[in-house]
Amino acid sequence: MNEPLRVGVVGAAGRMGTLARERISAADDLELVAEIGSTDELRQALRDTATEVALDVTAAGLGAAHGLEMLEAGVRPVIGTSGVTLEENEALDAAAREVRLGGLVVPNFSLGIWLLLRAAEEAARHFPRFEVVEMHHLAKLDAPSGTAIQTAERLAAVHGRDPADVPIHSIRLPGLLSNQEVMLGGDGEVLRLRHETYGLSCFGPGILAALRYARAAEGVGRGIEHAFEAAGD
Ligand SMILES: NC(=O)c1ccc[n+]([C@@H]2O[C@H](COP(=O)([O-])OP(=O)(O)OC[C@H]3O[C@@H](n4cnc5c(N)ncnc54)[C@H](OP(=O)(O)O)[C@@H]3O)[C@@H](O)[C@H]2O)c1
């Protein structure tokens, strides 16, 4: 058996960071070697701990820059932080290939969102008019969500359209955690595909699958499907 994969968590004290630390600590094939926060120097902390794969779950907009710093430190990035654009993802991919490393950008770690995207892509072939509604808790700072942007990108690609032309509606209310609906309109009918979450635990299996996938990844792809498909799910 391989030595346990040496994993660092960036944003370790946050909600996602806490979940990730718990799940990594409970996995026999992973070892939590670095718990990094906003007052640490990222590259130094990664080098000091000989981290092999690092998970970034910090603040929206920081993911791409952190991914580049990880690669500079010889570490494979898994970026769960919201807001990594397609262009930034491509830049990460190119930088990783230059140093023969890999990783993954994951706008959403949940199994249900992956399946929603697959179903919505199929539905969009038949219903060319669609809109995305995302609903989140008040503490979510970014709007629209990274998942909604990824959904718009994937559905627009079905028809070769610009993702900016897919309307996204963002709702922030107390009581909500994280839900997303894709509505597709046809002649006298509407199809609603809806994903609901009831706890952060829905992200746990995806986080572990992404870390394991990153160990041998070539380049930096986008989407949890890479990890679930590699794991045979
Ligand atoms: N991909 C997914 O499936 C998924 C799911 C849920 C959430 N998210 C995203 O994940 C991110 C984190 O969400 P959360 O709910 O865990 O947020 P959170 O509870 O606010 O935690 C964020 C953590 O990141 C730390 N941080 C901020 N800037 C940092 C920096 N420059 N370097 C290191 N650490 C830094 C914060 O520390 P300080 O308090 O010291 O600033 C805090 O501990 C958000 O972008 C969110 O949208 C993604």
Side-chain angles (χ1 to χ4, degrees):
M1 194 181 146
N2 286 333
E3 287 292 305
L5 179 66
R6 297 177 64 81
V7 178
V9 177
V10 187
R15 285 176 292 254
M16 287 291 281
T18 300
L19 169 78
R21 286 186 291 112
E22 284 167 11
R23 297 302 172 98
I24 293 162
S25 300
D28 289 341
D29 60 332
L30 307 177
E31 185 181 354
L32 180 63
V33 296
E35 300 179 30
I36 298 170
S38 55
T39 55
D40 296 306
E41 207 289 304
L42 179 55
R43 275 166 294 201
Q44 194 62 44
L46 293 170
R47 287 198 186 104
D48 288 349
T49 51
T51 294
E52 294 174 85
V53 174
L55 172 72
D56 194 78
V57 276
T58 57
L62 296 180
H66 283 181
L68 289 173
E69 287 190 49
M70 289 170 187
L71 289 168
E72 283 165 26
V75 173
R76 295 169 169 271
V78 172
I79 309 298
T81 299
S82 296
V84 179
T85 65
L86 286 174
E87 293 72 25
E88 288 172 335
N89 208 151
E90 280 166 17
L92 275 173
D93 184 48
R97 289 179 187 281
E98 219 162 87
V99 291
R100 304 177 76 83
L101 288 174
L104 196 59
V105 171
V106 186
N108 196 300
F109 286 107
S110 89
L111 180 62
I113 281 287
W114 172 46
L115 296 171
L116 169 70
L117 278 174
R118 285 173 56 174
E121 277 176 330
E122 176 60 20
R125 290 194 179 91
H126 306 280
F127 290 94
R129 288 292 299 269
F130 36 77
E131 305 203 359
V132 181
V133 187
E134 56 97 341
M135 295 150 268
H136 283 89
H137 55 89
L138 285 176
K140 183 162 181 63
L141 299 179
D142 54 317
S145 70
T147 304
I149 293 168
Q150 185 197 19
T151 305
E153 289 165 1
R154 295 269 296 261
L155 297 189
V158 170
H159 295 285
R161 281 164 37 194
D162 183 347
D165 293 340
V166 180
I168 302 177
H169 310 272
S170 298
I171 297 170
R172 298 286 176 271
L173 278 177
L176 288 170
L177 182 62
S178 170
N179 301 334
Q180 177 171 287
E181 191 165 298
V182 177
M183 289 182 69
L184 304 105
D187 188 5
E189 59 182 331
V190 167
L191 175 64
R192 290 169 180 255
L193 300 171
R194 184 175 169 91
H195 179 253
E196 300 181 350
T197 59
Y198 296 96
L200 285 185
S201 58
C202 68
F203 301 123
I207 290 173
L208 296 185
L211 293 169
R212 291 175 179 133
Y213 167 82
R215 177 175 221 163
E218 294 174 13
V220 179
R222 187 178 185 86
I224 194 59
E225 59 269 28
H226 293 281
F228 282 144
E229 281 164 10
D233 286 340

Short mmCIF file of all heavy atoms in Angstrom, two decimals, residues 9-18 36-40 42 56-62 66 79-83 105-110 136-137 139-142 145-147 178 200 202-203 207, ligand 1:
data_model
loop_
_atom_site.label_atom_id
_atom_site.label_comp_id
_atom_site.label_asym_id
_atom_site.label_seq_id
_atom_site.Cartn_x
_atom_site.Cartn_y
_atom_site.Cartn_z
N VAL A 9 -4.80 21.70 4.56
CA VAL A 9 -6.07 22.41 4.37
C VAL A 9 -5.83 23.90 4.57
O VAL A 9 -5.31 24.32 5.61
CB VAL A 9 -7.14 21.90 5.36
CG1 VAL A 9 -8.44 22.71 5.20
CG2 VAL A 9 -7.42 20.41 5.14
N VAL A 10 -6.18 24.68 3.57
CA VAL A 10 -6.02 26.14 3.62
C VAL A 10 -7.41 26.74 3.84
O VAL A 10 -8.32 26.48 3.05
CB VAL A 10 -5.39 26.67 2.31
CG1 VAL A 10 -5.06 28.15 2.44
CG2 VAL A 10 -4.16 25.85 1.94
N GLY A 11 -7.53 27.51 4.94
CA GLY A 11 -8.86 27.92 5.39
C GLY A 11 -9.35 26.91 6.42
O GLY A 11 -10.55 26.66 6.57
N ALA A 12 -8.38 26.35 7.17
CA ALA A 12 -8.64 25.19 8.03
C ALA A 12 -9.64 25.47 9.14
O ALA A 12 -10.34 24.57 9.59
CB ALA A 12 -7.31 24.71 8.63
N ALA A 13 -9.74 26.72 9.60
CA ALA A 13 -10.62 27.02 10.73
C ALA A 13 -12.05 27.34 10.30
O ALA A 13 -12.94 27.47 11.14
CB ALA A 13 -10.06 28.21 11.52
N GLY A 14 -12.29 27.43 9.01
CA GLY A 14 -13.62 27.79 8.51
C GLY A 14 -14.57 26.60 8.53
O GLY A 14 -14.21 25.50 8.97
N ARG A 15 -15.79 26.82 8.06
CA ARG A 15 -16.80 25.75 8.06
C ARG A 15 -16.37 24.57 7.19
O ARG A 15 -16.39 23.42 7.63
CB ARG A 15 -18.14 26.31 7.55
CG ARG A 15 -18.88 27.17 8.54
CD ARG A 15 -20.15 27.74 7.91
NE ARG A 15 -19.79 28.69 6.87
CZ ARG A 15 -19.91 30.02 6.99
NH1 ARG A 15 -20.43 30.53 8.08
NH2 ARG A 15 -19.54 30.82 6.02
N MET A 16 -15.97 24.87 5.94
CA MET A 16 -15.55 23.79 5.05
C MET A 16 -14.22 23.18 5.52
O MET A 16 -14.00 21.97 5.41
CB MET A 16 -15.41 24.32 3.62
CG MET A 16 -16.72 24.60 2.94
SD MET A 16 -17.63 23.09 2.58
CE MET A 16 -16.77 22.54 1.11
N GLY A 17 -13.34 24.05 6.01
CA GLY A 17 -12.04 23.58 6.50
C GLY A 17 -12.21 22.60 7.66
O GLY A 17 -11.51 21.59 7.75
N THR A 18 -13.14 22.89 8.55
CA THR A 18 -13.39 22.02 9.71
C THR A 18 -13.92 20.66 9.25
O THR A 18 -13.46 19.61 9.70
CB THR A 18 -14.39 22.71 10.66
OG1 THR A 18 -13.82 23.95 11.07
CG2 THR A 18 -14.69 21.86 11.87
N ILE A 36 -3.80 25.54 7.67
CA ILE A 36 -3.29 26.86 7.32
C ILE A 36 -4.42 27.89 7.37
O ILE A 36 -5.53 27.64 6.91
CB ILE A 36 -2.63 26.80 5.91
CG1 ILE A 36 -1.45 25.81 5.96
CG2 ILE A 36 -2.19 28.17 5.43
CD1 ILE A 36 -0.86 25.46 4.61
N GLY A 37 -4.11 29.05 7.95
CA GLY A 37 -5.10 30.13 8.07
C GLY A 37 -4.60 31.40 7.42
O GLY A 37 -3.52 31.44 6.79
N SER A 38 -5.36 32.47 7.61
CA SER A 38 -5.07 33.71 6.89
C SER A 38 -3.81 34.42 7.39
O SER A 38 -3.29 35.30 6.70
CB SER A 38 -6.28 34.65 6.96
OG SER A 38 -6.63 34.87 8.30
N THR A 39 -3.30 34.05 8.56
CA THR A 39 -2.09 34.72 9.04
C THR A 39 -0.81 33.95 8.67
O THR A 39 0.29 34.42 8.95
CB THR A 39 -2.13 34.91 10.58
OG1 THR A 39 -2.34 33.62 11.17
CG2 THR A 39 -3.26 35.84 10.99
N ASP A 40 -0.95 32.78 8.04
CA ASP A 40 0.23 32.00 7.64
C ASP A 40 0.72 32.42 6.26
O ASP A 40 -0.07 32.88 5.43
CB ASP A 40 -0.12 30.51 7.61
CG ASP A 40 -0.48 29.97 8.98
OD1 ASP A 40 0.32 30.15 9.90
OD2 ASP A 40 -1.58 29.40 9.12
N LEU A 42 1.53 31.12 2.90
CA LEU A 42 1.05 29.87 2.30
C LEU A 42 2.18 28.97 1.80
O LEU A 42 2.28 27.80 2.19
CB LEU A 42 0.05 30.19 1.18
CG LEU A 42 -0.55 29.01 0.43
CD1 LEU A 42 -1.23 28.02 1.38
CD2 LEU A 42 -1.56 29.50 -0.60
N ASP A 56 -7.96 24.13 -0.91
CA ASP A 56 -8.23 25.55 -0.60
C ASP A 56 -9.72 25.76 -0.41
O ASP A 56 -10.52 25.53 -1.33
CB ASP A 56 -7.72 26.45 -1.74
CG ASP A 56 -7.67 27.91 -1.30
OD1 ASP A 56 -6.73 28.27 -0.60
OD2 ASP A 56 -8.61 28.67 -1.65
N VAL A 57 -10.12 26.16 0.79
CA VAL A 57 -11.51 26.53 1.07
C VAL A 57 -11.46 27.82 1.90
O VAL A 57 -11.65 27.82 3.10
CB VAL A 57 -12.28 25.40 1.81
CG1 VAL A 57 -12.83 24.38 0.82
CG2 VAL A 57 -11.42 24.69 2.85
N THR A 58 -11.15 28.91 1.20
CA THR A 58 -10.94 30.19 1.89
C THR A 58 -12.06 31.18 1.54
O THR A 58 -13.20 30.91 1.88
CB THR A 58 -9.53 30.74 1.57
OG1 THR A 58 -9.39 30.88 0.15
CG2 THR A 58 -8.44 29.83 2.10
N ALA A 59 -11.72 32.28 0.90
CA ALA A 59 -12.74 33.29 0.60
C ALA A 59 -12.86 33.45 -0.91
O ALA A 59 -11.85 33.44 -1.63
CB ALA A 59 -12.36 34.62 1.25
N ALA A 60 -14.10 33.63 -1.37
CA ALA A 60 -14.36 33.71 -2.81
C ALA A 60 -13.40 34.67 -3.48
O ALA A 60 -13.19 35.79 -2.99
CB ALA A 60 -15.79 34.16 -3.03
N GLY A 61 -12.81 34.23 -4.58
CA GLY A 61 -11.88 35.06 -5.34
C GLY A 61 -10.42 34.76 -5.07
O GLY A 61 -9.56 35.14 -5.86
N LEU A 62 -10.11 34.05 -3.97
CA LEU A 62 -8.71 33.78 -3.63
C LEU A 62 -8.19 32.48 -4.25
O LEU A 62 -6.99 32.21 -4.23
CB LEU A 62 -8.53 33.68 -2.11
CG LEU A 62 -8.81 34.93 -1.28
CD1 LEU A 62 -8.58 34.64 0.21
CD2 LEU A 62 -7.91 36.07 -1.74
N HIS A 66 -4.19 31.26 -4.88
CA HIS A 66 -3.68 30.23 -3.97
C HIS A 66 -3.22 28.99 -4.74
O HIS A 66 -2.21 28.37 -4.40
CB HIS A 66 -4.75 29.85 -2.94
CG HIS A 66 -4.90 30.86 -1.86
ND1 HIS A 66 -5.78 30.74 -0.81
CD2 HIS A 66 -4.26 32.04 -1.66
CE1 HIS A 66 -5.68 31.79 -0.01
NE2 HIS A 66 -4.78 32.59 -0.51
N ILE A 79 -8.99 23.12 -5.48
CA ILE A 79 -9.56 24.43 -5.15
C ILE A 79 -11.08 24.30 -5.04
O ILE A 79 -11.78 24.14 -6.04
CB ILE A 79 -9.18 25.49 -6.22
CG1 ILE A 79 -7.67 25.50 -6.49
CG2 ILE A 79 -9.69 26.87 -5.78
CD1 ILE A 79 -6.82 25.86 -5.31
N GLY A 80 -11.58 24.39 -3.80
CA GLY A 80 -13.03 24.36 -3.57
C GLY A 80 -13.58 25.75 -3.37
O GLY A 80 -14.80 25.94 -3.39
N THR A 81 -12.72 26.72 -3.18
CA THR A 81 -13.13 28.11 -2.98
C THR A 81 -13.90 28.61 -4.20
O THR A 81 -13.50 28.34 -5.34
CB THR A 81 -11.88 28.97 -2.75
OG1 THR A 81 -11.24 28.48 -1.57
CG2 THR A 81 -12.21 30.43 -2.59
N SER A 82 -14.97 29.35 -3.97
CA SER A 82 -15.81 29.85 -5.07
C SER A 82 -15.07 30.89 -5.92
O SER A 82 -14.19 31.59 -5.42
CB SER A 82 -17.06 30.54 -4.51
OG SER A 82 -17.85 29.62 -3.82
N GLY A 83 -15.48 30.98 -7.17
CA GLY A 83 -15.10 32.12 -7.98
C GLY A 83 -13.93 31.93 -8.92
O GLY A 83 -13.46 32.92 -9.50
N VAL A 105 -10.07 21.95 -9.89
CA VAL A 105 -10.94 23.03 -9.40
C VAL A 105 -12.35 22.44 -9.26
O VAL A 105 -12.85 21.82 -10.20
CB VAL A 105 -10.96 24.22 -10.38
CG1 VAL A 105 -12.01 25.25 -9.98
CG2 VAL A 105 -9.58 24.88 -10.44
N VAL A 106 -12.96 22.59 -8.08
CA VAL A 106 -14.25 21.95 -7.82
C VAL A 106 -15.27 22.99 -7.35
O VAL A 106 -15.32 23.32 -6.16
CB VAL A 106 -14.11 20.84 -6.76
CG1 VAL A 106 -15.43 20.08 -6.63
CG2 VAL A 106 -12.99 19.88 -7.10
N PRO A 107 -16.08 23.53 -8.27
CA PRO A 107 -17.08 24.51 -7.84
C PRO A 107 -18.10 23.91 -6.86
O PRO A 107 -18.69 24.64 -6.07
CB PRO A 107 -17.76 24.92 -9.16
CG PRO A 107 -16.73 24.64 -10.21
CD PRO A 107 -16.00 23.41 -9.74
N ASN A 108 -18.32 22.58 -6.92
CA ASN A 108 -19.24 21.95 -5.96
C ASN A 108 -18.84 20.50 -5.74
O ASN A 108 -18.72 19.74 -6.70
CB ASN A 108 -20.68 22.04 -6.47
CG ASN A 108 -21.67 21.77 -5.36
OD1 ASN A 108 -21.66 20.70 -4.75
ND2 ASN A 108 -22.50 22.75 -5.05
N PHE A 109 -18.65 20.12 -4.49
CA PHE A 109 -18.17 18.77 -4.17
C PHE A 109 -19.29 17.75 -4.08
O PHE A 109 -19.02 16.57 -3.88
CB PHE A 109 -17.43 18.78 -2.81
CG PHE A 109 -16.06 19.40 -2.86
CD1 PHE A 109 -15.84 20.66 -2.30
CD2 PHE A 109 -14.99 18.74 -3.43
CE1 PHE A 109 -14.57 21.23 -2.32
CE2 PHE A 109 -13.73 19.30 -3.45
CZ PHE A 109 -13.51 20.55 -2.90
N SER A 110 -20.56 18.15 -4.18
CA SER A 110 -21.61 17.18 -3.85
C SER A 110 -21.96 16.27 -5.03
O SER A 110 -21.94 16.67 -6.19
CB SER A 110 -22.86 17.89 -3.33
OG SER A 110 -23.72 18.22 -4.40
N HIS A 136 -29.12 30.44 -1.06
CA HIS A 136 -28.10 30.15 -0.05
C HIS A 136 -28.34 30.92 1.24
O HIS A 136 -29.07 31.91 1.28
CB HIS A 136 -26.71 30.50 -0.59
CG HIS A 136 -26.17 29.47 -1.54
ND1 HIS A 136 -26.40 29.52 -2.88
CD2 HIS A 136 -25.41 28.36 -1.32
CE1 HIS A 136 -25.82 28.49 -3.47
NE2 HIS A 136 -25.21 27.76 -2.54
N HIS A 137 -27.63 30.47 2.28
CA HIS A 137 -27.63 31.11 3.60
C HIS A 137 -27.06 32.53 3.50
O HIS A 137 -26.32 32.86 2.55
CB HIS A 137 -26.80 30.26 4.57
CG HIS A 137 -25.40 30.00 4.09
ND1 HIS A 137 -24.36 30.85 4.36
CD2 HIS A 137 -24.89 29.01 3.33
CE1 HIS A 137 -23.26 30.39 3.80
NE2 HIS A 137 -23.55 29.26 3.16
N ALA A 139 -24.69 33.97 5.08
CA ALA A 139 -23.24 34.16 5.23
C ALA A 139 -22.50 33.96 3.92
O ALA A 139 -21.30 34.22 3.85
CB ALA A 139 -22.70 33.19 6.29
N LYS A 140 -23.19 33.49 2.90
CA LYS A 140 -22.51 33.31 1.61
C LYS A 140 -22.26 34.67 0.98
O LYS A 140 -23.21 35.40 0.67
CB LYS A 140 -23.31 32.41 0.67
CG LYS A 140 -22.57 32.15 -0.63
CD LYS A 140 -23.12 30.97 -1.38
CE LYS A 140 -22.35 30.71 -2.67
NZ LYS A 140 -20.94 30.36 -2.45
N LEU A 141 -20.99 35.01 0.78
CA LEU A 141 -20.63 36.37 0.37
C LEU A 141 -20.75 36.58 -1.13
O LEU A 141 -21.07 37.68 -1.59
CB LEU A 141 -19.19 36.67 0.80
CG LEU A 141 -18.94 36.61 2.32
CD1 LEU A 141 -17.48 36.89 2.63
CD2 LEU A 141 -19.84 37.60 3.05
N ASP A 142 -20.49 35.53 -1.93
CA ASP A 142 -20.49 35.72 -3.38
C ASP A 142 -21.87 35.40 -3.96
O ASP A 142 -22.58 34.55 -3.47
CB ASP A 142 -19.42 34.84 -4.04
CG ASP A 142 -19.55 33.37 -3.66
OD1 ASP A 142 -19.78 33.08 -2.47
OD2 ASP A 142 -19.46 32.51 -4.55
N SER A 145 -23.52 32.03 -7.11
CA SER A 145 -22.61 31.02 -6.57
C SER A 145 -21.73 30.44 -7.67
O SER A 145 -22.10 30.46 -8.85
CB SER A 145 -23.43 29.89 -5.93
OG SER A 145 -24.08 29.15 -6.96
N GLY A 146 -20.60 29.89 -7.25
CA GLY A 146 -19.70 29.23 -8.21
C GLY A 146 -20.39 28.09 -8.92
O GLY A 146 -20.18 27.86 -10.12
N THR A 147 -21.25 27.39 -8.20
CA THR A 147 -21.96 26.26 -8.80
C THR A 147 -22.93 26.74 -9.87
O THR A 147 -23.06 26.13 -10.93
CB THR A 147 -22.74 25.50 -7.71
OG1 THR A 147 -21.81 25.10 -6.71
CG2 THR A 147 -23.45 24.28 -8.27
N SER A 178 -28.09 25.52 1.12
CA SER A 178 -27.57 25.61 -0.24
C SER A 178 -28.45 24.78 -1.16
O SER A 178 -28.42 23.55 -1.09
CB SER A 178 -26.12 25.09 -0.26
OG SER A 178 -25.67 24.95 -1.58
N LEU A 200 -23.49 20.42 5.65
CA LEU A 200 -22.22 20.46 4.91
C LEU A 200 -21.69 19.06 4.63
O LEU A 200 -20.83 18.88 3.77
CB LEU A 200 -21.17 21.21 5.73
CG LEU A 200 -21.25 22.73 5.80
CD1 LEU A 200 -20.04 23.26 6.55
CD2 LEU A 200 -21.32 23.35 4.42
N CYS A 202 -22.72 16.80 2.96
CA CYS A 202 -22.86 16.37 1.56
C CYS A 202 -21.58 16.60 0.77
O CYS A 202 -21.39 16.02 -0.29
CB CYS A 202 -24.04 17.08 0.89
SG CYS A 202 -23.78 18.84 0.67
N PHE A 203 -20.70 17.47 1.28
CA PHE A 203 -19.46 17.75 0.54
C PHE A 203 -18.32 16.79 0.91
O PHE A 203 -17.29 16.77 0.25
CB PHE A 203 -18.99 19.19 0.81
CG PHE A 203 -20.01 20.23 0.42
CD1 PHE A 203 -20.49 21.16 1.35
CD2 PHE A 203 -20.49 20.30 -0.88
CE1 PHE A 203 -21.42 22.12 0.99
CE2 PHE A 203 -21.43 21.25 -1.24
CZ PHE A 203 -21.90 22.16 -0.31
N ILE A 207 -14.89 15.82 -1.29
CA ILE A 207 -13.59 16.37 -0.87
C ILE A 207 -12.54 15.25 -0.87
O ILE A 207 -11.44 15.41 -1.43
CB ILE A 207 -13.70 17.03 0.52
CG1 ILE A 207 -14.52 18.32 0.43
CG2 ILE A 207 -12.31 17.29 1.11
CD1 ILE A 207 -14.82 18.96 1.79
N1 LIG B 1 -16.82 23.71 -3.64
C1 LIG B 1 -17.82 23.49 -2.78
O1 LIG B 1 -18.53 22.46 -2.84
C2 LIG B 1 -18.09 24.51 -1.70
C3 LIG B 1 -19.05 24.25 -0.72
C4 LIG B 1 -19.25 25.21 0.29
C5 LIG B 1 -18.51 26.38 0.29
N2 LIG B 1 -17.61 26.59 -0.71
C6 LIG B 1 -16.74 27.77 -0.74
O2 LIG B 1 -15.64 27.49 0.12
C7 LIG B 1 -15.14 28.74 0.64
C8 LIG B 1 -15.10 28.64 2.17
O3 LIG B 1 -16.40 28.52 2.67
P1 LIG B 1 -16.67 28.46 4.25
O4 LIG B 1 -18.15 28.41 4.40
O5 LIG B 1 -15.83 27.40 4.85
O6 LIG B 1 -16.11 29.89 4.70
P2 LIG B 1 -15.66 30.38 6.16
O7 LIG B 1 -16.36 29.58 7.21
O8 LIG B 1 -15.80 31.86 6.13
O9 LIG B 1 -14.11 29.99 6.23
C9 LIG B 1 -13.14 30.56 5.44
C10 LIG B 1 -11.80 30.37 6.12
O10 LIG B 1 -10.77 30.79 5.22
C11 LIG B 1 -9.83 31.53 5.97
N3 LIG B 1 -9.10 32.45 5.09
C12 LIG B 1 -9.53 33.62 4.55
N4 LIG B 1 -8.56 34.16 3.81
C13 LIG B 1 -7.50 33.31 3.87
C14 LIG B 1 -6.20 33.34 3.33
N5 LIG B 1 -5.78 34.34 2.52
N6 LIG B 1 -5.37 32.30 3.60
C15 LIG B 1 -5.76 31.29 4.41
N7 LIG B 1 -7.00 31.22 4.97
C16 LIG B 1 -7.84 32.23 4.70
C17 LIG B 1 -10.62 32.24 7.03
O11 LIG B 1 -9.77 32.57 8.10
P3 LIG B 1 -9.89 34.01 8.81
O12 LIG B 1 -11.10 33.91 9.66
O13 LIG B 1 -8.61 34.09 9.55
O14 LIG B 1 -10.03 35.03 7.71
C18 LIG B 1 -11.64 31.15 7.42
O15 LIG B 1 -11.14 30.30 8.42
C19 LIG B 1 -16.09 29.83 0.10
O16 LIG B 1 -15.54 30.37 -1.08
C20 LIG B 1 -17.35 29.05 -0.21
O17 LIG B 1 -18.15 29.68 -1.19
C21 LIG B 1 -17.38 25.69 -1.69
#
